[in-house]
Amino acid sequence: MPRVVVDVMPKPEILDPQGKAVLGALPRLGFQGVTDVRQGKRFELEIAGEITEAVLAEVEQMAETLLSNPVIENFTVRVEQPVAGADR
């Protein structure tokens, strides 16, 4: 079944306290070299039928009205192609 992914991230000018908390925890856990972390959300939408321009436009509208807050977040919409044997 086709899957559309919506990734939502805070806009660059918006403070990200969750990302800063992760950034602070990484060195304490022994991970080095990470200079910044931004935390966002990922939505995976299983779509019945074919992915058309109209379907993608509708997903964009979903992202703008429900899945994100356009005042403080940016989003991207993409079609994810399944990879054989990639299930974990």
XYZ file of all heavy atoms in Angstrom:
671
model
N 0.853 -1.176 0.000
C 0.000 0.000 0.000
C 0.898 1.238 0.000
O 1.857 1.311 0.756
C -0.897 -0.045 1.243
C -1.875 1.091 1.326
S -3.127 0.869 2.605
C -4.088 -0.455 1.906
N 0.595 2.218 -0.832
C 1.425 3.425 -0.889
C 1.438 4.179 0.437
O 0.435 4.222 1.156
C 0.755 4.269 -1.975
C -0.081 3.325 -2.755
C -0.480 2.236 -1.813
N 2.580 4.775 0.747
C 2.743 5.522 1.995
C 3.248 6.921 1.676
O 4.194 7.099 0.926
C 3.739 4.820 2.907
C 4.027 5.592 4.184
C 5.048 4.900 5.041
N 4.487 3.664 5.539
C 5.215 2.680 6.057
N 6.519 2.779 6.158
N 4.644 1.594 6.490
N 2.593 7.902 2.287
C 3.036 9.285 2.190
C 3.550 9.681 3.566
O 2.916 9.409 4.581
C 1.897 10.223 1.740
C 2.362 11.666 1.735
C 1.384 9.824 0.363
N 4.729 10.296 3.600
C 5.348 10.700 4.856
C 5.316 12.216 4.952
O 5.659 12.918 3.995
C 6.802 10.191 4.937
C 7.489 10.704 6.188
C 6.827 8.668 4.891
N 4.883 12.701 6.110
C 4.913 14.125 6.404
C 5.903 14.319 7.546
O 5.715 13.770 8.633
C 3.523 14.659 6.806
C 3.594 16.149 7.124
C 2.496 14.385 5.713
N 6.977 15.054 7.273
C 7.963 15.393 8.298
C 7.705 16.831 8.736
O 7.590 17.734 7.897
C 9.390 15.276 7.751
C 9.774 13.829 7.470
O 9.606 12.996 8.378
O 10.227 13.540 6.359
N 7.608 17.025 10.050
C 7.325 18.343 10.621
C 8.495 18.728 11.516
O 8.898 17.945 12.379
C 6.010 18.320 11.435
C 5.716 19.690 12.024
C 4.841 17.836 10.574
N 9.037 19.922 11.286
C 10.176 20.401 12.078
C 9.911 21.833 12.522
O 9.256 22.595 11.811
C 11.452 20.383 11.232
C 11.928 18.998 10.838
S 12.418 17.987 12.243
C 13.843 18.863 12.828
N 10.457 22.200 13.699
C 10.341 23.605 14.100
C 11.078 24.490 13.103
O 12.111 24.095 12.552
C 11.032 23.670 15.465
C 11.386 22.279 15.837
C 11.185 21.395 14.656
N 10.535 25.670 12.857
C 11.222 26.622 11.984
C 12.573 26.966 12.604
O 12.734 26.926 13.825
C 10.375 27.874 11.803
C 9.139 27.625 10.959
C 8.369 28.899 10.712
C 7.197 28.593 9.772
N 6.437 29.805 9.444
N 13.571 27.300 11.782
C 14.921 27.554 12.304
C 14.980 28.631 13.385
O 15.795 28.545 14.302
C 15.711 27.987 11.067
C 14.954 27.433 9.917
C 13.516 27.388 10.330
N 14.121 29.631 13.306
C 14.164 30.713 14.286
C 13.438 30.396 15.599
O 13.491 31.168 16.552
C 13.595 32.009 13.674
C 12.146 31.929 13.271
C 11.894 31.402 11.853
O 12.799 30.828 11.220
O 10.754 31.566 11.390
N 12.785 29.239 15.660
C 12.047 28.828 16.850
C 12.961 28.020 17.766
O 13.650 27.097 17.323
C 10.801 27.984 16.469
C 9.849 28.801 15.591
C 10.095 27.449 17.694
C 9.276 30.033 16.238
N 12.978 28.353 19.059
C 13.753 27.584 20.025
C 13.237 26.153 20.077
O 12.038 25.911 19.955
C 13.662 28.224 21.408
C 14.285 29.600 21.561
C 14.048 30.135 22.965
C 15.762 29.574 21.234
N 14.145 25.211 20.285
C 13.797 23.792 20.334
C 14.353 23.196 21.626
O 15.440 22.613 21.637
C 14.368 23.085 19.102
C 14.010 21.613 19.034
O 13.254 21.130 19.893
O 14.506 20.939 18.122
N 13.636 23.337 22.745
C 14.163 22.837 24.020
C 14.365 21.320 24.038
O 15.290 20.832 24.685
C 13.137 23.279 25.056
C 11.930 23.692 24.302
C 12.363 24.012 22.903
N 13.532 20.570 23.328
C 13.717 19.117 23.289
C 14.998 18.765 22.548
O 15.752 17.890 22.967
C 12.513 18.440 22.638
C 11.256 18.570 23.468
C 10.027 18.078 22.724
O 9.845 18.384 21.546
N 9.203 17.329 23.403
N 15.256 19.448 21.451
C 16.500 19.220 20.717
C 17.709 19.580 21.561
O 18.718 18.862 21.560
N 17.628 20.683 22.312
C 18.743 21.091 23.177
C 18.971 20.062 24.281
O 20.103 19.780 24.654
C 18.485 22.462 23.783
C 18.464 23.581 22.775
C 19.807 23.759 22.119
C 19.760 24.899 21.123
N 20.714 24.758 20.049
N 17.890 19.484 24.828
C 18.036 18.462 25.864
C 18.743 17.228 25.317
O 19.627 16.655 25.971
C 16.669 18.084 26.431
N 18.387 16.818 24.109
C 19.048 15.673 23.480
C 20.517 16.004 23.222
O 21.401 15.189 23.500
C 18.327 15.269 22.172
C 19.136 14.237 21.400
C 16.935 14.741 22.472
N 20.775 17.210 22.728
C 22.148 17.632 22.465
C 22.989 17.588 23.739
O 24.135 17.146 23.725
C 22.166 19.039 21.868
C 23.528 19.619 21.518
C 24.205 18.780 20.438
C 23.381 21.062 21.072
N 22.420 18.001 24.859
C 23.139 17.961 26.129
C 23.363 16.552 26.647
O 24.360 16.278 27.321
N 22.450 15.643 26.344
C 22.555 14.272 26.846
C 23.543 13.427 26.050
O 24.147 12.500 26.605
C 21.184 13.598 26.834
N 23.727 13.712 24.786
C 24.584 12.870 23.945
C 26.008 12.729 24.485
O 26.504 11.601 24.596
C 24.581 13.379 22.502
C 23.277 13.156 21.732
C 23.322 13.871 20.389
C 22.995 11.677 21.549
N 26.702 13.823 24.844
C 28.067 13.655 25.369
C 28.106 12.866 26.685
O 29.036 12.091 26.914
C 28.557 15.088 25.591
C 27.687 15.937 24.749
C 26.373 15.229 24.655
N 27.089 13.040 27.509
C 27.036 12.285 28.767
C 26.895 10.792 28.526
O 27.266 9.974 29.361
C 25.879 12.787 29.640
C 26.105 14.193 30.189
C 25.105 14.561 31.268
N 23.717 14.466 30.851
C 22.999 15.446 30.309
N 23.563 16.616 30.085
N 21.740 15.267 29.998
N 26.358 10.437 27.361
C 26.199 9.022 27.001
C 27.355 8.506 26.152
O 27.329 7.372 25.686
C 24.877 8.822 26.253
C 23.624 9.111 27.081
C 22.383 9.090 26.200
C 23.489 8.111 28.212
N 28.358 9.361 25.956
C 29.548 8.930 25.227
C 29.533 9.215 23.744
O 30.431 8.789 23.024
N 28.544 9.942 23.253
C 28.470 10.271 21.827
C 29.079 11.650 21.610
O 28.688 12.615 22.254
C 27.026 10.243 21.338
C 26.381 8.896 21.467
C 25.476 8.638 22.488
C 26.686 7.873 20.586
C 24.878 7.395 22.617
C 26.091 6.631 20.711
C 25.193 6.392 21.730
N 30.026 11.747 20.697
C 30.753 12.986 20.457
C 30.529 13.462 19.018
O 30.164 12.684 18.148
C 32.257 12.772 20.691
C 32.606 12.250 22.079
C 32.172 13.177 23.196
O 32.280 14.390 23.074
N 31.657 12.614 24.275
N 30.778 14.735 18.801
C 30.782 15.277 17.446
C 29.460 15.846 16.964
O 29.410 16.424 15.885
N 28.393 15.724 17.713
C 27.110 16.285 17.290
C 27.082 17.748 17.734
O 27.292 18.052 18.906
C 25.922 15.511 17.910
C 24.598 16.149 17.508
C 25.959 14.045 17.484
N 26.835 18.652 16.797
C 26.882 20.077 17.112
C 25.502 20.709 17.265
O 25.382 21.801 17.811
C 27.662 20.852 16.039
O 27.023 20.666 14.781
C 29.103 20.365 15.980
N 24.453 20.063 16.789
C 23.098 20.592 16.957
C 22.096 19.469 16.768
O 22.357 18.511 16.036
C 22.821 21.711 15.955
C 21.586 22.532 16.323
O 21.186 22.537 17.508
O 21.014 23.170 15.424
N 20.966 19.590 17.443
C 19.868 18.628 17.315
C 18.576 19.419 17.226
O 18.347 20.341 18.010
C 19.796 17.662 18.526
C 18.579 16.749 18.423
C 21.064 16.844 18.649
N 17.743 19.080 16.277
C 16.386 19.622 16.170
C 15.447 18.425 16.211
O 15.654 17.449 15.503
C 16.186 20.375 14.858
C 17.154 21.502 14.596
C 16.897 22.750 15.366
N 15.682 23.415 14.917
C 15.146 24.436 15.563
N 15.684 24.884 16.672
N 14.049 25.005 15.112
N 14.442 18.495 17.038
C 13.497 17.384 17.160
C 12.192 17.754 16.471
O 11.679 18.854 16.646
C 13.225 17.072 18.628
C 12.286 15.896 18.796
C 12.157 15.463 20.233
O 13.129 15.401 20.954
N 10.947 15.166 20.647
N 11.667 16.813 15.697
C 10.421 17.040 14.985
C 9.485 15.858 15.110
O 9.619 15.028 16.011
N 8.541 15.810 14.180
C 7.543 14.737 14.150
C 7.508 14.140 12.749
O 7.769 14.822 11.765
C 6.144 15.284 14.460
C 6.026 15.987 15.789
C 4.643 16.565 15.976
C 4.561 17.915 15.276
N 3.353 18.676 15.598
N 7.153 12.865 12.683
C 7.009 12.171 11.403
C 5.649 11.487 11.409
O 5.308 10.760 12.341
C 8.118 11.137 11.241
C 7.966 10.235 10.024
C 9.069 9.186 10.004
N 8.759 8.104 9.122
C 9.431 7.838 8.008
N 10.453 8.590 7.664
N 9.095 6.812 7.250
N 4.879 11.722 10.370
C 3.583 11.076 10.193
C 3.657 10.197 8.955
O 4.111 10.657 7.909
C 2.469 12.121 10.004
C 2.268 13.018 11.185
C 2.943 14.214 11.280
C 1.412 12.656 12.211
C 2.769 15.055 12.364
C 1.229 13.489 13.301
C 1.914 14.687 13.381
N 3.236 8.946 9.084
C 3.186 8.023 7.954
C 1.723 7.751 7.635
O 0.989 7.228 8.471
C 3.897 6.713 8.301
C 5.373 6.892 8.570
C 6.064 5.594 8.923
O 5.380 4.551 9.054
O 7.302 5.621 9.063
N 1.320 8.123 6.439
C -0.074 7.964 6.017
C -0.157 6.873 4.964
O 0.447 6.996 3.890
C -0.606 9.281 5.448
C -0.444 10.514 6.346
C -0.821 11.768 5.589
C -1.285 10.366 7.592
N -0.864 5.800 5.264
C -1.117 4.739 4.286
C -2.290 5.204 3.431
O -3.349 5.552 3.954
C -1.465 3.422 4.984
C -0.368 2.893 5.893
C 0.843 2.358 5.148
O 0.684 1.943 3.980
O 1.929 2.365 5.735
N -2.114 5.208 2.131
C -3.103 5.743 1.205
C -3.718 4.610 0.391
O -2.992 3.793 -0.179
C -2.456 6.773 0.251
C -1.755 7.879 1.036
C -3.468 7.337 -0.726
C -2.653 8.745 1.863
N -5.043 4.599 0.351
C -5.744 3.622 -0.489
C -5.715 4.127 -1.925
O -6.013 5.289 -2.195
C -7.189 3.462 -0.014
N -5.309 3.275 -2.826
C -5.287 3.650 -4.238
C -3.976 4.284 -4.653
O -2.973 4.233 -3.949
N -4.011 4.925 -5.798
C -2.821 5.501 -6.409
C -2.510 6.879 -5.817
O -3.413 7.637 -5.470
C -3.068 5.636 -7.917
C -1.887 6.117 -8.702
C -2.200 6.209 -10.187
O -3.190 5.612 -10.644
O -1.441 6.894 -10.886
N -1.220 7.178 -5.720
C -0.790 8.494 -5.269
C -0.797 9.427 -6.482
O 0.000 9.265 -7.403
C 0.629 8.461 -4.665
C 0.726 7.447 -3.536
C 1.051 9.845 -4.212
C -0.010 7.815 -2.284
N -1.706 10.374 -6.475
C -1.826 11.338 -7.570
C -1.485 12.732 -7.049
O -1.331 12.938 -5.839
C -3.260 11.349 -8.121
O -4.134 11.784 -7.076
C -3.687 9.966 -8.621
N -1.403 13.687 -7.953
C -1.171 15.077 -7.547
C -2.302 15.552 -6.627
O -2.064 16.299 -5.682
C -1.040 15.978 -8.770
C 0.234 15.750 -9.565
C 1.496 16.002 -8.755
O 1.532 16.966 -7.967
O 2.450 15.233 -8.904
N -3.534 15.129 -6.896
C -4.672 15.527 -6.061
C -4.531 14.952 -4.654
O -4.829 15.638 -3.666
C -5.979 15.074 -6.698
N -4.079 13.707 -4.544
C -3.873 13.086 -3.232
C -2.783 13.828 -2.479
O -2.933 14.145 -1.285
C -3.529 11.585 -3.374
C -3.028 11.011 -2.071
C -4.728 10.812 -3.891
N -1.692 14.141 -3.144
C -0.604 14.870 -2.492
C -1.047 16.266 -2.062
O -0.664 16.745 -0.989
C 0.616 14.950 -3.405
C 1.347 13.624 -3.624
C 2.479 13.803 -4.634
C 1.869 13.044 -2.325
N -1.876 16.914 -2.858
C -2.402 18.227 -2.482
C -3.273 18.120 -1.234
O -3.228 18.984 -0.349
C -3.184 18.836 -3.641
N -4.052 17.038 -1.145
C -4.883 16.833 0.030
C -4.030 16.562 1.276
O -4.319 17.072 2.359
C -5.856 15.677 -0.207
C -6.882 15.541 0.886
C -7.983 14.559 0.532
O -7.675 13.500 -0.071
O -9.139 14.858 0.867
N -2.958 15.792 1.118
C -2.049 15.546 2.238
C -1.389 16.850 2.670
O -1.232 17.108 3.866
C -1.002 14.467 1.886
C 0.053 14.364 2.967
C -1.684 13.119 1.667
N -1.016 17.710 1.715
C -0.453 19.020 2.053
C -1.447 19.812 2.903
O -1.067 20.454 3.877
C -0.112 19.804 0.783
C 1.028 19.240 0.002
C 2.287 20.062 0.116
O 2.254 21.178 0.672
O 3.329 19.564 -0.345
N -2.720 19.756 2.531
C -3.746 20.468 3.294
C -3.881 19.868 4.697
O -4.027 20.600 5.680
C -5.080 20.424 2.557
C -6.121 21.305 3.206
C -7.381 21.419 2.365
O -7.519 20.760 1.324
N -8.305 22.243 2.816
N -3.816 18.532 4.800
C -3.844 17.881 6.119
C -2.685 18.376 6.978
O -2.853 18.682 8.165
C -3.708 16.354 5.975
C -4.859 15.637 5.404
S -4.387 13.881 5.248
C -5.450 13.393 3.917
N -1.499 18.424 6.368
C -0.303 18.844 7.099
C -0.425 20.280 7.569
O -0.040 20.608 8.694
C 0.935 18.670 6.214
N -0.986 21.130 6.732
C -1.093 22.543 7.079
C -2.166 22.812 8.130
O -2.016 23.712 8.963
C -1.389 23.355 5.824
C -1.269 24.835 6.036
C -1.325 25.621 4.731
O -1.146 25.034 3.655
O -1.546 26.829 4.815
N -3.243 22.017 8.138
C -4.354 22.309 9.037
C -4.369 21.473 10.307
O -4.939 21.900 11.308
C -5.707 22.117 8.323
O -5.800 20.783 7.833
C -5.862 23.095 7.187
N -3.745 20.283 10.299
C -3.834 19.408 11.468
C -2.481 18.901 11.953
O -2.220 18.899 13.153
C -4.735 18.199 11.140
C -4.867 17.145 12.239
C -5.574 17.734 13.455
C -5.595 15.928 11.725
N -1.629 18.490 11.050
C -0.391 17.810 11.446
C 0.709 18.763 11.893
O 1.644 18.342 12.569
C 0.110 16.928 10.299
C -0.883 15.893 9.776
C -0.277 15.105 8.631
C -1.361 14.983 10.885
N 0.619 20.027 11.502
C 1.642 20.990 11.892
C 0.992 22.290 12.337
O -0.196 22.524 12.098
C 2.582 21.274 10.715
O 1.939 22.090 9.750
N 1.808 23.119 12.970
C 1.408 24.482 13.290
C 2.245 25.389 12.391
O 3.419 25.634 12.676
C 1.679 24.787 14.762
C 1.332 26.204 15.135
O 1.113 27.050 14.279
N 1.292 26.475 16.426
N 1.679 25.876 11.287
C 2.466 26.621 10.307
C 3.103 27.907 10.847
O 4.006 28.447 10.225
C 1.485 26.938 9.181
C 0.224 26.243 9.491
C 0.298 25.694 10.870
N 2.663 28.376 11.989
C 3.260 29.570 12.572
C 4.678 29.269 13.074
O 5.581 30.087 12.935
C 2.383 30.120 13.721
C 3.067 31.264 14.446
C 1.014 30.539 13.199
N 4.876 28.074 13.626
C 6.173 27.744 14.234
C 6.848 26.521 13.619
O 7.960 26.178 14.007
C 6.040 27.541 15.758
C 5.107 26.366 16.073
C 5.604 28.814 16.444
C 5.127 25.929 17.535
N 6.177 25.843 12.671
C 6.731 24.612 12.096
C 6.688 24.646 10.572
O 5.776 25.219 9.982
C 5.950 23.385 12.583
C 6.065 23.142 14.070
C 5.158 22.028 14.563
O 3.980 21.958 14.147
O 5.636 21.233 15.382
N 7.676 24.002 9.967
C 7.686 23.716 8.534
C 7.393 22.233 8.347
O 7.660 21.431 9.246
C 9.065 24.018 7.928
C 9.395 25.487 7.939
O 8.533 26.327 7.736
N 10.651 25.806 8.177
N 6.870 21.874 7.189
C 6.629 20.461 6.900
C 7.021 20.148 5.470
O 7.063 21.028 4.612
C 5.168 20.074 7.163
C 4.179 20.745 6.248
C 3.877 20.195 5.011
C 3.556 21.918 6.625
C 2.969 20.820 4.164
C 2.646 22.544 5.792
C 2.351 21.992 4.558
N 7.338 18.872 5.254
C 7.573 18.359 3.908
C 6.699 17.132 3.718
O 6.429 16.394 4.674
C 9.047 17.984 3.668
O 9.437 16.987 4.611
C 9.956 19.190 3.793
N 6.267 16.935 2.497
C 5.438 15.780 2.134
C 6.191 15.018 1.062
O 6.667 15.605 0.092
C 4.058 16.230 1.605
C 3.254 15.040 1.102
C 3.289 16.988 2.677
N 6.297 13.709 1.249
C 6.991 12.886 0.244
C 6.363 11.501 0.206
O 5.784 11.038 1.185
C 8.476 12.793 0.533
C 8.818 12.159 1.842
C 10.314 12.307 2.157
N 10.585 12.025 3.536
C 10.770 10.820 4.056
N 10.706 9.748 3.281
N 11.019 10.656 5.341
N 6.507 10.866 -0.929
C 6.046 9.485 -1.090
C 7.216 8.585 -0.731
O 8.329 8.771 -1.222
C 5.574 9.223 -2.531
C 5.159 7.767 -2.705
C 4.441 10.170 -2.900
N 6.967 7.637 0.143
C 8.011 6.703 0.558
C 7.837 5.392 -0.198
O 6.760 4.795 -0.181
C 7.936 6.455 2.065
C 9.066 5.600 2.577
C 9.055 5.512 4.087
O 8.274 4.693 4.607
O 9.789 6.279 4.717
N 8.895 4.982 -0.842
C 8.878 3.719 -1.577
C 9.302 2.605 -0.623
O 10.321 2.708 0.034
C 9.842 3.776 -2.754
C 9.523 4.877 -3.736
C 8.147 4.731 -4.382
O 7.666 3.625 -4.595
N 7.524 5.849 -4.671
N 8.515 1.533 -0.526
C 8.910 0.437 0.349
C 10.186 -0.241 -0.144
O 10.413 -0.379 -1.340
C 7.719 -0.522 0.283
C 6.988 -0.158 -0.961
C 7.300 1.288 -1.256
N 11.019 -0.620 0.798
C 12.251 -1.334 0.482
C 12.067 -2.790 0.913
O 11.721 -3.053 2.067
C 13.454 -0.702 1.217
C 14.719 -1.491 0.949
C 13.620 0.748 0.810
N 12.270 -3.724 0.010
C 12.070 -5.137 0.305
C 13.017 -5.568 1.427
O 14.204 -5.283 1.394
C 12.308 -5.984 -0.932
N 12.470 -6.237 2.430
C 13.266 -6.777 3.523
C 13.756 -5.739 4.525
O 14.635 -6.030 5.322
N 13.185 -4.520 4.484
C 13.666 -3.463 5.374
C 12.933 -3.413 6.696
O 13.226 -2.571 7.522
C 13.560 -2.117 4.670
N 11.964 -4.281 6.922
C 11.239 -4.274 8.196
C 12.156 -4.689 9.323
O 12.945 -5.592 9.183
C 10.040 -5.221 8.147
C 8.958 -4.716 7.175
O 8.987 -3.520 6.852
O 8.127 -5.535 6.755
N 12.009 -4.006 10.462
C 12.835 -4.337 11.624
C 12.026 -5.047 12.653
O 10.992 -4.768 13.030
C 13.406 -3.062 12.259
C 14.384 -2.404 11.348
C 14.961 -1.221 12.064
N 15.521 -0.313 11.082
C 16.096 0.809 11.389
N 16.201 1.183 12.611
N 16.583 1.584 10.464
